[in-house]
Amino acid sequence: MIQDHKHDMTQERLLDKAEALFAQRGYDAVSVREITAAAHCNLAAVNYHFQNKKNLYLEVFRARWIPRARRLQEFFRKSSVIQNATSPTAIAQGLAEAFLLGPLSDDERHRHFQLMVRELSQPSEALELVAEQVMRPFFTELAEMLRPAIGNGVEKQRLMLDALSMFAMVLYFNFARVAVTRITGREYDDAFKGQLVKHITEFSRTGLGVG
Amino acid sequence: MIQDHKHDMTQERLLDKAEALFAQRGYDAVSVREITAAAHCNLAAVNYHFQNKKNLYLEVFRARWIPRARRLQEFFRKSSVIQNATSPTAIAQGLAEAFLLGPLSDDERHRHFQLMVRELSQPSEALELVAEQVMRPFFTELAEMLRPAIGNGVEKQRLMLDALSMFAMVLYFNFARVAVTRITGREYDDAFKGQLVKHITEFSRTGLGVG
DNA sequence: GTCTATAGCAGGATAGAC
DNA sequence: GTCTATCCTGCTATAGAC
């Protein structure tokens, strides 16, 4: 029992540090030595608990990333905006709030989106997991939420593209933080994040609203 | 002269292969050995021509990425859509066409956006160059193009966020190709890219178009 | 300018003591 | 389960012949 406990603690610490480092600098730039040092355990622990480096990376997705994505989706579904209305505007606002302000700490959110962008732009086995278990079901769900308002006659692809576009903004304003800060001159404090949510909601509702 | 010629050819080949490989797999995952092998030249050539690996990476941006970004922007400015109208819709369409269909080959476009996303999500010195010489001026220009239609009274930040949002979609549909394909079931052939341009234009104009 | 050879180091992984 | 010691591979970078 004590052994299991210690075992678990080491595994947990390794997963935590591995996720943070992989998110920050990517799989290849991070060494097992660095991860174990950060987790205050021995070099051999990664191989003992996770067989090898690659499997540790996958386990980060299985044990951390996917559950967190589910929490985010749950938060979105239960948010008051969605509970009170399922208009496209409400959906956009719910999405933006959940993913920009939602239940995650700043660090956790940052890690989450960094890992996602890495996988989107350079898919590994982890994307298989993520696409099948998280993304496809969620976008399908979003598309069906949009259908009543957009039009029952409309093809599914149109709804999917709408959902992907809302998500594109959410993703972008999370991962391109440094560039957005550089271009707008604004730091990602609570005020600015609030404005971003408002902007994404508004842009999704009416686009540029003219001509 | 012959020496200069050979010299130049080797440099060019190195830049080409380096860009392709860095875009595909990232700085750390790619070795100098791999680059020189692909460029059919000697291992020592990188150090001779570019001092070290990191400077080769930066030179990829200076000599390849930035000029290409300028070509893209030039194509956008001179596109018939923009020449004939500067409504927000025309701007969105011009952007989407330039960056999704524009003057680049598929491979070149893919490389271009992969490198950009890598820098946006994990900035290195290269982002300094790109932000100051390309991004900031371009987004400022876009914002000013939007101003007359959106409203003269509106703060610059609102215009910047609009420009960033249009760009978010363009970027996303370029770099998250694998995921988009997985979710929509559509390959990135000419037909689908045409639909994406139409979608981005339309979404930028009216968003989801309803309540 | 190009090549070979090699220095010097860091990486992943494992065997075996505890 | 944890640790040390070590193997082996592959990396960047450079010295020096051509």
Side-chain angles (χ1 to χ4, degrees), chain A residues 24-25 28-29 87-89 114 117-118 120-123 127-128 131-132 135-136 139 146 149-150 157-158 160-162 164-169 171-173 175-176 178-180 182-184 186 192 195-196 199 203-211, chain B residues 24-25 28-29 87-89 114 117-118 120-123 127-128 131-132 135-136 139 146 149-150 157-158 160-162 164-169 171-173 175-176 178-180 182-184 186 192 195-196 199 203-211:
Chain A
Q24 204 170 91
R25 308 218 308 282
D28 294 284
S87 65
T89 304
Q114 292 273 86
V117 165
R118 288 189 192 286
L120 287 180
S121 71
Q122 190 185 347
L127 188 65
E128 310 270 319
E132 296 314 309
M135 290 178 63
R136 181 136 48 183
F139 279 108
L146 288 170
I150 307 275
Q157 182 178 307
R158 158 75 196 282
M160 281 295 197
L161 288 180
D162 283 338
L164 285 169
S165 299
M166 287 191 283
F167 191 69
M169 287 188 284
L171 186 73
Y172 178 77
F173 283 116
F175 88 82
V178 174
V180 170
R182 243 202 160 80
I183 303 242
T184 60
R186 294 289 304 264
F192 188 54
Q195 283 180 33
L196 285 178
H199 167 77
F203 195 92
S204 297
R205 189 168 74 88
T206 57
L208 300 166
V210 270
Chain B
Q24 203 170 94
R25 306 217 311 280
D28 294 284
S87 65
T89 305
Q114 291 273 85
V117 165
R118 288 189 192 286
L120 287 180
S121 71
Q122 189 183 348
L127 187 66
E128 310 269 318
E132 296 314 309
M135 290 178 64
R136 181 134 51 183
F139 278 108
L146 288 171
I150 307 274
Q157 181 178 309
R158 156 75 196 281
M160 281 296 197
L161 289 181
D162 283 338
L164 285 169
S165 298
M166 286 192 283
F167 191 68
M169 286 187 284
L171 186 73
Y172 177 78
F173 284 114
F175 87 83
V178 174
V180 170
R182 244 200 160 79
I183 302 240
T184 60
R186 294 289 304 263
F192 187 53
Q195 283 179 33
L196 285 177
H199 167 77
F203 194 92
S204 297
R205 189 167 75 86
T206 55
L208 300 167
V210 270

Side-chain angles (χ1 to χ4, degrees), chain B residues 59-95:
Chain B
E59 201 59 30
V60 163
F61 279 85
R62 283 190 281 256
R64 291 274 188 280
W65 200 96
I66 291 180
R68 187 186 307 119
R70 296 230 164 90
R71 270 202 289 145
L72 276 174
Q73 293 176 11
E74 208 47 42
F75 183 92
F76 164 74
R77 283 186 204 103
K78 296 201 168 132
S79 71
S80 59
V81 202
I82 298 295
Q83 294 295 313
N84 293 326
T86 52
S87 65
T89 305
I91 292 170
Q93 185 182 340
L95 259 189

Side-chain angles (χ1 to χ4, degrees), chain A:
Chain A
M1 212 41 174
I2 280 178
Q3 284 179 338
D4 279 346
H5 183 246
K6 288 177 78 174
H7 170 142
D8 282 357
M9 292 304 298
T10 300
Q11 277 194 335
E12 299 302 310
R13 284 202 317 278
L14 278 171
L15 283 171
D16 286 343
K17 298 301 181 182
E19 181 179 25
L21 288 166
F22 285 143
Q24 204 170 91
R25 308 218 308 282
Y27 182 84
D28 294 284
V30 175
S31 68
V32 171
R33 285 172 156 80
E34 202 176 352
I35 295 168
T36 51
H40 301 296
C41 66
N42 190 269
L43 172 59
V46 161
N47 301 92
Y48 180 77
H49 289 288
F50 303 95
Q51 290 81 62
N52 53 45
K53 181 186 178 185
K54 184 179 158 193
N55 197 50
L56 167 59
Y57 179 76
L58 289 175
E59 201 57 30
V60 163
F61 278 84
R62 284 190 280 257
R64 292 273 188 279
W65 199 97
I66 290 179
R68 188 188 304 119
R70 296 232 163 89
R71 269 202 290 146
L72 276 172
Q73 294 175 11
E74 209 46 41
F75 183 92
F76 164 74
R77 283 187 203 102
K78 296 203 167 135
S79 72
S80 59
V81 203
I82 299 295
Q83 294 296 314
N84 293 324
T86 53
S87 65
T89 304
I91 292 170
Q93 186 181 338
L95 259 189
E97 280 180 359
F99 287 80
L100 263 88
L101 303 173
L104 307 185
S105 73
D106 254 34
D107 277 357
E108 216 181 353
R109 179 171 21 249
H110 197 231
R111 258 180 276 161
H112 192 74
F113 281 93
Q114 292 273 86
L115 285 174
M116 167 153 232
V117 165
R118 288 189 192 286
E119 282 299 319
L120 287 180
S121 71
Q122 190 185 347
S124 77
E125 281 176 47
L127 188 65
E128 310 270 319
L129 297 171
V130 165
E132 296 314 309
Q133 297 189 25
V134 177
M135 290 178 63
R136 181 136 48 183
F138 187 59
F139 279 108
T140 304
E141 179 184 344
L142 269 185
E144 289 313 315
M145 287 175 82
L146 288 170
R147 180 180 291 287
I150 307 275
N152 272 305
V154 116
E155 337 87 275
K156 181 159 187 196
Q157 182 178 307
R158 158 75 196 282
L159 300 171
M160 281 295 197
L161 288 180
D162 283 338
L164 285 169
S165 299
M166 287 191 283
F167 191 69
M169 287 188 284
V170 169
L171 186 73
Y172 178 77
F173 283 116
N174 270 301
F175 88 82
R177 192 185 270 230
V178 174
V180 170
T181 289
R182 243 202 160 80
I183 303 242
T184 60
R186 294 289 304 264
E187 291 301 322
Y188 269 55
D189 49 22
D190 286 348
F192 188 54
K193 283 192 279 186
Q195 283 180 33
L196 285 178
V197 168
K198 228 179 113 194
H199 167 77
I200 292 174
T201 306
E202 197 55 25
F203 195 92
S204 297
R205 189 168 74 88
T206 57
L208 300 166
V210 270

